[in-house]
Amino acid sequence: MALANMKFTPEVLDTQSKKFAEKVGSTTALMPREEAVKMLQEQDLTVYGDGRFPIEDYLCALCNNAMISFADYLQAVTMAMGDPLDPVVRENFIKLDKDRSGTLDQQELGELLEGCESVSQKKEQVLELLECMDVDKDGKVNYSENRSSYLLLIENNKKFDIMIR
């Protein structure tokens, strides 16, 4: 099924997460850019920007090296679908991922809650946030889980008390 000109949904995110992980072992691993281009081509996701620009050019501009992260791959998927991710979500995930592990741990999630009044209140809120976002229950939030949470919030038209922006 061609994905071009479709909406980016949690189901599409789940499918793309599985495809990426099947190729390189997990969504926290890096993938050779050439392999990512092949995966996109297999899904008829070859161009972006009204069909005028090759998606390979986008990946080259997005990544300065030959290996790409799942976040970068997902950004390319959504660009080719014509339903691009809000770049702020990707940028914020990268900023919060201080150790560059591809996941957000409790400490990194805690940075979202800098303004909390007390340490105990902050810890409790971090644990609640982690419980909601950590789908695979490994104690960390990977980019896929972060993006899925964002999509579900939009889909359900809910607002977080915490604004990432």
Side-chain angles (χ1 to χ4, degrees):
M1 174 176 77
L3 294 175
N5 299 315
M6 289 181 58
K7 281 292 196 194
F8 189 76
T9 64
E11 292 78 23
V12 171
L13 173 64
D14 185 53
T15 300
Q16 294 302 318
S17 298
K18 288 176 184 170
K19 285 178 185 278
F20 191 92
E22 284 173 8
K23 291 285 186 182
V24 294
S26 77
T27 57
T28 60
L30 296 176
M31 175 183 283
R33 187 172 48 230
E34 296 80 26
E35 188 66 31
V37 170
K38 286 179 195 173
M39 282 178 55
L40 292 167
Q41 290 171 342
E42 289 168 1
Q43 300 173 78
D44 293 326
L45 297 173
T46 57
V47 295
Y48 73 101
D50 297 329
R52 295 178 288 175
F53 307 104
I55 199 65
E56 185 172 6
D57 291 354
Y58 179 76
L59 279 173
C60 287
L62 188 64
C63 311
N64 293 334
N65 58 39
M67 302 296 283
I68 68 164
S69 68
F70 179 65
D72 294 333
Y73 172 77
L74 203 56
Q75 187 71 35
V77 167
T78 62
M79 288 294 291
M81 286 178 68
D83 190 19
L85 293 175
D86 183 344
V88 173
V89 174
R90 181 181 160 275
E91 290 166 17
N92 283 332
F93 184 86
I94 291 168
K95 281 182 200 172
L96 288 171
D97 185 18
K98 300 284 188 216
D99 62 4
R100 300 296 175 243
S101 65
T103 62
L104 304 178
D105 58 27
Q106 284 186 24
Q107 183 177 350
E108 292 166 329
L109 279 173
E111 291 190 23
L112 285 173
L113 305 170
E114 288 287 316
C116 284
E117 295 173 16
S118 72
V119 173
S120 62
Q121 179 187 20
K122 179 178 176 179
K123 185 173 182 171
E124 185 179 313
Q125 287 182 332
V126 168
L127 292 174
E128 286 176 21
L129 190 57
L130 186 59
E131 177 68 26
C132 291
M133 296 175 75
D134 184 18
V135 175
D136 63 9
K137 303 302 180 204
D138 66 352
K140 299 175 184 173
V141 176
N142 61 42
Y143 185 75
S144 177
E145 292 167 331
N146 179 65
R147 182 63 187 139
S148 183
S149 297
Y150 181 75
L151 285 171
L152 289 171
L153 286 172
I154 291 171
E155 193 173 277
N156 294 322
N157 200 20
K158 293 181 180 176
K159 296 188 182 200
F160 249 152
D161 293 340
I162 305 163
M163 294 305 291
I164 295 176
R165 296 181 198 215

